[in-house]
Amino acid sequence: MKTELSDLDAIVAVAQAGGFREAARKRATNPSRLSDAVRRVESRLGVRLFHRTTRSVVPTEAGLRLLERLAPAMAEVESALDVVNTFRDTPSGRLCLNVPVSASRVVLPRIVPGFLAAYPDIRLEIVADSDLVDIIAAGCDAGIRYDEHLAPDMIAVPIGPRRQRVAAAASPAYLERHGVPAHPRDLLNHKCLRPKFSNGQLPIWEFQKNGETITLDPPATLVVNASGATDLLIDTAVAGGGIVGLFEDWLRPHFAPGPLVPVLEDWWAEFPGPYLYYSSRRLVPAPLQAFIDFVRATSG
């Protein structure tokens, strides 16, 4: 019995998505069709490839061994087919980017509308996730990260503002009740609102002025997951719940005449902007190449 290429593609899709429903959403199909494809391959091979429960779909040992060879092979097939895309007047297909939540708020809004208008046949899919992931294993074409998180075998293209700052802000009512910090160390006596990564780590607050750098781990009265609840930090700060620290471009729309005022602005630390990165070992798909070209053409 011949194994269809589409059935093998279903194996990879389900494994990368962690389930039939999410895989079906990404492939614009239905879960039952993917489930049937997996069953056909399992019947053909005579082994179970996935442990299925009501909550998860996880590869078996046999499934993992198959995916080690199958996932790269299917990626090469997609790359080979994508070569034809270069002969079209305009590229088409899916482009998936894994980006930090901050980039989805302060970088991509300046790029995405123009890109979609220029390339109407490309379907852009954004996965906003502040945790570090393997973009290839996650089924993404490229990602956005800062230089300290870039792997050496990745190609990096500057994207967005080249200099950024982390800002601190609070509501006038909070500062009236608790006082205005005059020095970063004063934050140790304030209510601070902080994001954290999924591993439980809270980013250290860093301040710089006249060559002096101060790092702090202030007490937090509210901690939220950086990947999904950061807006709650701003809402709480607006309501007078404490001092919030986030990207300046994220907070600035809330400044005067808005509900927040800057805190310790002359101490805000500056750092290099993010990069669009992708694997140097894979053929660049036409939709990704179009995005790279668009970013380069519109930067600066």
Side-chain angles (χ1 to χ4, degrees), residues 9-216:
D9 183 61
I11 298 292
V12 176
V14 171
Q16 291 178 339
F20 292 98
R21 187 176 300 277
E22 179 63 14
R25 185 188 67 80
K26 290 184 175 181
R27 296 302 173 96
T29 185
N30 60 72
S32 62
R33 182 170 297 177
L34 292 178
S35 181
D36 290 342
V38 170
R39 276 196 291 267
R40 282 194 296 270
V41 177
E42 289 179 328
S43 176
R44 169 73 174 83
L45 298 177
V47 295
R48 181 175 291 276
L49 299 176
F50 292 96
H51 295 297
R52 302 168 177 82
T53 70
T54 55
R55 296 185 178 181
S56 65
V57 177
V58 180
T60 62
E61 181 64 26
L64 289 172
R65 294 294 297 274
L66 175 63
L67 286 162
E68 287 176 359
R69 303 286 297 273
L70 184 59
M74 293 304 299
E76 285 302 314
V77 169
E78 290 183 9
S79 296
L81 294 174
D82 190 69
V83 170
V84 179
N85 219 352
T86 61
F87 291 91
R88 292 170 49 90
D89 292 335
T90 58
S92 67
R94 170 180 172 268
L95 171 60
C96 183
L97 304 179
N98 182 284
V99 308
V101 174
S102 58
S104 71
R105 295 296 301 268
V106 303
V107 175
L108 291 181
R110 308 175 187 183
I111 297 173
V112 167
F115 175 74
L116 294 179
Y119 297 97
D121 294 331
I122 292 178
R123 175 184 148 192
L124 180 60
E125 188 171 317
I126 304 297
V127 180
D129 185 353
S130 294
D131 298 323
L132 298 178
V133 301
D134 182 335
I135 57 172
I136 304 302
C140 297
D141 301 292
I144 294 178
R145 287 292 182 267
Y146 291 86
D147 55 2
E148 68 269 23
H149 298 305
L150 295 176
D153 61 342
M154 292 289 173
I155 297 175
V157 177
I159 186 172
R162 298 325 304 145
R163 306 301 299 178
Q164 294 186 331
R165 295 195 297 177
V166 172
S171 70
Y174 173 86
L175 297 175
E176 183 177 347
R177 292 195 308 270
H178 299 280
V180 179
H183 189 276
R185 293 192 181 91
D186 293 341
L187 294 175
L188 298 175
N189 298 313
H190 277 268
K191 297 180 179 180
C192 297
L193 314 174
R194 303 176 62 182
K196 73 171 181 178
F197 299 121
S198 62
N199 62 6
Q201 180 183 1
L202 274 69
I204 297 297
W205 283 15
E206 182 175 301
F207 297 88
Q208 296 175 350
K209 183 179 180 182
N210 298 330
E212 180 183 8
T213 299
I214 295 176
T215 57
L216 296 173

